[in-house]
Amino acid sequence: MPTLDLINLRKQFGSVTNPVVAVNDLNINVADGEFLCILGPSGCGKSTALRMVAGFEEPSGGDVQIDQQSIINMPPNKRPTAMVFQKYTLWPHMKVYDNIAFGLKLRHLPKNQIDQEVQASLELVGLGRYGDRYPAQLSGGEQQRVAIARALVLKPKILLLDEPFSNLDALLRVRLREELRQIQRNLKITAVFVTHDQEEALSLADRIAVMSKGELQQLDKPATIYARPKTLFVADFIGAMNMLDGEVNGGVVKVGNQRLPSPAECVAAPAKIAIRPEDVIVTQTGEGAWHGRITQVSDLGHYRKVFVQSPDLGMLKLYLPKSIEINDGEMITFKPTRFLIFQGPLPPFEVKL
Amino acid sequence: MKIDPTPAYHQPTMFGYRISTRTLRREAFGIFALVALTLIIIGPMMTVFLWAFAERWRQPALLPTEWGLSYWYETLARNDITSAMPMSLGLALTVTALSAIICLPAAYAFARINFPGRQGLLLSFLAVNAFPRFGLYVTIAVVFFRLGLVGTLPGVILIQLVNTLLTMIWIPTSAFQNIDRALEEAALDVGAGRLRVFFQITLPQVFPALAAALLLTFVSTFYEAQGALIIGIPGIRTMAVLMYSYINNQIVVQYGAVISLMLWLPSLVLLSFAQKFLRGNTVSSGFGV
Ligand SMILES: Nc1ncnc2c1ncn2[C@@H]1O[C@H](COP(=O)(O)OP(=O)(O)OP(=O)(O)O)[C@@H](O)[C@H]1O
Ligand SMILES: [Mg+2]
């Protein structure tokens, strides 16, 4: 039952005088059979973290453990991990068969067993009859499937994937990631999947580790990440969010010209109020509600995306049901049903109305 | 749907094939280029070739007036020639092999490791070739003389090694640089050791470039005369050195012509071999598909 633990993992590039901290004090635990996504904007240290697990990058501090055993002193070719890269990394001078068989041959398996396992892994990724082709004769999507087969055929304890589908078009990306997830579920393999695409992470992961500037922001289930972001960064980065300035004072928080209830634990100080576009209802009364002018309405299937220019809140994005009749340029009155109050670096308070 | 009864195109034909005017123009240019190249490259070579088999060739005649192999017999009967040929071949092979052993690991390091002074060192190899060689050789000769290397095989090997550095470092370095590191990492990842990664992943991909560098090195060493002449005399006499002295000292053109023909032989063999090999290799590995 392979588990993976990153413990206070740290990586610093650059010189002593001008250090670049790519990964800072990262703690992530991956359970047996779990599919964990590392999500974050470009340059936040996702690849560096993954490469330290694979052994291509030496940590500046901390530990990496598989099944509670440190692997930090193992060279990459001895580690029980297998990686799928963002770039196409099939060896161009070898046929697909030989690409997949390479690792098996190193393990001195008998020829007929190698044949069987290569074939089985090719079937697994739906390329049963591609063994005789050279990588240059495959499409990008097919190449990445072969790369996945090449990693899976070695039955690694941990499968590492560094944005494996980001070079592919949107439709293929969605299809391949679903296929990958299915394979991972069937094989019950432990996997870490790096991506900068939140939709990808939200739809695939058992849990998501959100990173920013080398640091872990939050490690939770997708639904929790969406509903209860722990930091302002996560609130802003995941999904759409309206960020408003507020001021807490004695059980109420003043946002714009309205007062909303706030928990007693909030201190009297400025705060950031985060409201999801869908956590808003349109009302008739002016009590506790803001008003604004609709500047843009787009029809998105079962709901409408509406931009509202409010005199004291600025521009807001709302998702409203199609049952409500609204048009460009009209005035609208609305109030939140649920919001988060962020104060300093503490986790936010949730308020439901 | 309406079907257009007139044929889609009317084009001139050549040898039964339809040829558009554009193809025709391109074709004509190709033929012209070929002829020009032939005249420039093959012309002089042809002259040498004819001279080697000419017993007599007076000015106005377009071709030799008497043909024969007598100069071949005479040349091949000479001791200095029969010993110079194996000497030249052996020397070129040794220098190429040594150069590969020294330069290829260095080239790999240049491509993969970013050490201080890397750029300067790379440029210094160019410097050797950027200035007139002769002065350099004379200076080296003075040093070699003190070391007792003048007139010896190690001396000539050393001086010719210097000549090969540029080709054998620059070409492989850029070839190694073009190999994505991730390809090597992927091989490490599935369990291959560093050496295996180099020999089974990296090397096969730079092979065409390496073969070209080796070939150039071999051929240029085989023809190299200046260094071999200054450092090698009197003990070491290569074919190239002999050819120079024959051309300089003999009034009869044929000796020089015969020796140059003999000098072509190894390069022709190597080139045809290389061409076949390189083509096979690139096609089978799917490059450029
Ligand atoms: N070899 C290196 N030398 C110096 N700095 C590096 C090196 N590798 C990465 N970095 C820096 O470390 C930081 C994290 O890089 P990393 O590649 O891990 O980002 P990432 O999250 O994978 O981004 P992306 O989504 O663009 O791939 C970046 O600021 C990058 O410039
Ligand atoms: Mg990356």
Side-chain angles (χ1 to χ4, degrees):
Chain A
M1 17 132 192
T3 61
L4 172 69
D5 291 281
L6 316 190
I7 301 163
N8 299 331
L9 197 60
R10 185 184 156 79
K11 178 69 192 183
Q12 184 170 321
F13 290 111
S15 59
V16 186
T17 49
N18 186 21
V20 178
V21 180
V23 172
N24 196 9
D25 214 18
L26 190 63
N27 285 288
I28 295 179
N29 66 302
V30 190
D32 178 30
E34 188 176 24
F35 195 98
L36 183 125
C37 278
I38 300 183
L39 173 65
S42 181
C44 73
K46 310 178 295 286
S47 295
T48 308
L50 203 68
R51 289 169 57 79
M52 285 193 278
V53 177
F56 302 134
E57 224 64 83
E58 202 182 323
S60 315
D63 201 6
V64 178
Q65 297 182 349
I66 292 178
D67 295 335
Q68 276 78 50
Q69 301 286 308
S70 174
I71 56 163
I72 218 96
N73 292 319
M74 269 186 210
N77 48 338
K78 297 279 191 298
R79 295 193 183 191
T81 57
M83 178 132 159
V84 181
F85 296 78
Q86 173 177 7
K87 300 180 205 161
Y88 301 138
T89 58
L90 298 185
W91 304 303
H93 59 295
M94 294 185 193
K95 291 184 173 173
V96 165
Y97 172 92
D98 295 302
N99 263 278
I100 299 177
F102 188 72
L104 295 173
K105 286 179 187 160
L106 295 176
R107 285 156 179 77
H108 302 293
L109 297 183
K111 172 93 172 72
N112 57 352
Q113 191 187 343
I114 293 182
D115 283 352
Q116 278 171 17
E117 298 203 0
V118 170
Q119 194 53 37
S121 72
L122 275 176
E123 314 254 322
L124 197 62
V125 295
L127 296 176
R129 300 194 293 141
Y130 282 59
D132 271 340
R133 298 230 194 149
Y134 280 99
Q137 297 166 320
L138 302 180
S139 73
E142 288 163 347
Q143 289 196 43
Q144 287 307 70
R145 286 187 212 206
V146 175
I148 290 170
R150 181 173 72 180
L152 288 176
V153 81
L154 299 172
K155 307 201 167 51
K157 285 190 170 174
I158 314 282
L159 180 64
L160 306 171
L161 305 112
D162 190 356
E163 311 200 23
F165 307 133
S166 60
N167 284 332
L168 310 176
D169 68 66
L171 226 57
L172 189 58
R173 195 156 65 219
V174 172
R175 209 176 78 208
L176 281 190
R177 75 190 187 204
E178 243 105 70
E179 283 177 21
L180 169 75
R181 188 66 165 106
Q182 202 54 49
I183 291 169
Q184 182 268 342
R185 269 203 193 100
N186 294 343
L187 300 179
K188 298 188 175 60
I189 197 167
T190 309
V192 181
F193 186 103
V194 160
T195 179
H196 63 256
D197 179 350
Q198 50 165 304
E199 190 224 320
E200 193 160 68
L202 289 168
S203 64
L204 282 184
D206 289 322
R207 285 188 305 153
I208 301 176
V210 184
M211 284 181 72
S212 163
K213 299 194 179 128
E215 300 192 358
L216 182 66
Q217 297 284 320
Q218 186 168 4
L219 177 54
D220 264 317
K221 293 200 166 72
T224 317
I225 297 253
Y226 186 80
R228 300 294 311 261
K230 266 197 188 133
T231 66
L232 269 177
F233 173 83
V234 178
D236 211 17
F237 184 66
I238 306 281
M241 189 71 99
N242 296 296
M243 285 289 182
L244 309 174
D245 289 316
E247 176 94 35
V248 177
N249 203 345
V252 290
V253 53
K254 189 164 179 288
V255 186
N257 56 353
Q258 295 297 331
R259 288 161 195 281
L260 302 168
S262 91
E265 299 93 321
C266 283
V267 290
K272 283 275 180 198
I273 311 302
I275 308 174
R276 292 272 180 219
E278 65 271 29
D279 291 337
V280 165
I281 47 165
V282 176
T283 65
Q284 300 303 323
T285 62
E287 191 62 31
W290 298 298
H291 65 275
R293 188 174 294 282
I294 295 170
T295 61
Q296 192 189 327
V297 180
S298 8
D299 214 324
L300 295 177
H302 56 289
Y303 65 98
R304 286 203 186 95
K305 183 170 79 180
V306 180
F307 284 98
V308 175
Q309 179 69 46
S310 157
D312 39 30
L313 300 176
M315 188 67 95
L316 289 142
K317 187 196 234 178
L318 312 179
Y319 297 156
L320 299 177
K322 290 177 88 169
S323 50
I324 301 169
E325 189 59 41
I326 42 177
N327 294 300
D328 269 9
E330 285 175 7
M331 291 299 287
I332 184 175
T333 312
F334 58 96
K335 60 182 181 186
T337 55
R338 181 181 165 276
F339 59 94
L340 300 167
I341 303 174
F342 285 91
Q343 286 194 305
L346 297 173
F349 296 98
E350 185 184 18
V351 179
K352 283 185 179 164
L353 298 175
Chain B
M1 196 175 165
K2 219 173 69 184
I3 294 170
D4 190 357
T6 56
Y9 43 76
H10 291 281
Q11 281 166 339
T13 62
M14 185 190 265
F15 310 125
Y17 294 101
R18 266 198 197 79
I19 306 262
S20 73
T21 39
R22 185 168 341 135
T23 324
L24 212 63
R25 213 177 297 144
R26 210 184 297 149
E27 218 70 334
F29 177 77
I31 290 168
F32 173 78
L34 195 69
V35 170
L37 264 180
T38 313
L39 285 179
I40 294 167
I41 298 173
I42 309 290
M45 290 176 89
M46 230 20 235
T47 322
V48 175
F49 189 81
L50 291 178
W51 264 118
F53 296 97
E55 299 284 305
R56 196 196 302 250
W57 192 358
R58 291 273 153 69
Q59 253 321 304
L62 199 64
L63 287 174
T65 37
E66 261 176 63
W67 300 83
L69 290 174
S70 65
Y71 286 97
W72 283 87
Y73 293 129
E74 244 176 88
T75 316
L76 285 174
R78 297 187 56 116
N79 275 342
D80 51 357
I81 302 248
T82 43
S83 65
M85 195 67 184
M87 163 67 76
S88 276
L89 281 178
L91 196 61
L93 280 176
T94 314
V95 169
T96 307
L98 279 179
S99 180
I101 292 170
I102 298 167
C103 295
L104 294 188
Y108 191 67
F110 274 121
R112 281 292 182 255
I113 309 168
N114 205 354
F115 51 87
R118 174 178 172 278
Q119 215 60 31
L121 214 56
L122 265 179
L123 277 178
S124 73
F125 298 116
L126 186 64
V128 174
N129 287 45
F131 300 106
R133 295 259 177 88
F134 209 78
L136 184 72
Y137 290 150
V138 172
T139 332
I140 293 178
V142 175
V143 180
F144 275 21
F145 191 76
R146 263 189 235 132
L147 297 173
L149 284 171
V150 168
T152 67
L153 199 56
V156 177
I157 291 177
L158 275 179
I159 196 83
Q160 295 200 321
L161 261 182
V162 173
N163 281 330
T164 64
L165 289 183
L166 184 73
T167 321
M168 282 297 269
I169 295 222
W170 277 41
I171 294 180
T173 297
S174 74
F176 283 132
Q177 265 168 347
N178 281 333
I179 305 297
D180 194 336
R181 226 179 263 244
L183 287 181
E184 296 174 343
E185 284 175 350
L188 273 178
D189 197 56
V190 301
R194 299 258 171 206
L195 267 185
R196 185 186 295 274
V197 172
F198 180 78
F199 282 107
Q200 294 195 2
I201 304 296
T202 318
L203 209 54
Q205 291 173 77
V206 294
F207 190 81
L210 286 200
L214 285 170
L215 198 78
L216 280 174
T217 302
F218 179 85
V219 170
S220 70
T221 309
F222 191 73
Y223 291 138
E224 203 281 335
Q226 285 184 3
L229 185 70
I230 294 171
I231 303 291
I233 46 162
I236 307 296
R237 313 196 80 193
T238 64
M239 287 293 280
V241 169
L242 273 186
M243 186 180 69
Y244 273 92
S245 63
Y246 270 63
I247 292 171
N248 281 340
N249 306 336
Q250 301 273 347
I251 315 147
V252 186
V253 187
Q254 281 90 331
Y255 288 115
V258 168
I259 297 183
S260 1
L261 267 201
M262 290 164 74
L263 277 173
W264 292 356
L265 210 66
S267 352
L268 285 181
V269 171
L270 268 181
L271 278 175
S272 65
F273 178 70
Q275 189 206 13
K276 212 175 261 174
F277 196 67
L278 286 185
R279 196 195 300 146
N281 189 56
T282 37
V283 170
S284 71
S285 59
F287 291 146
V289 173

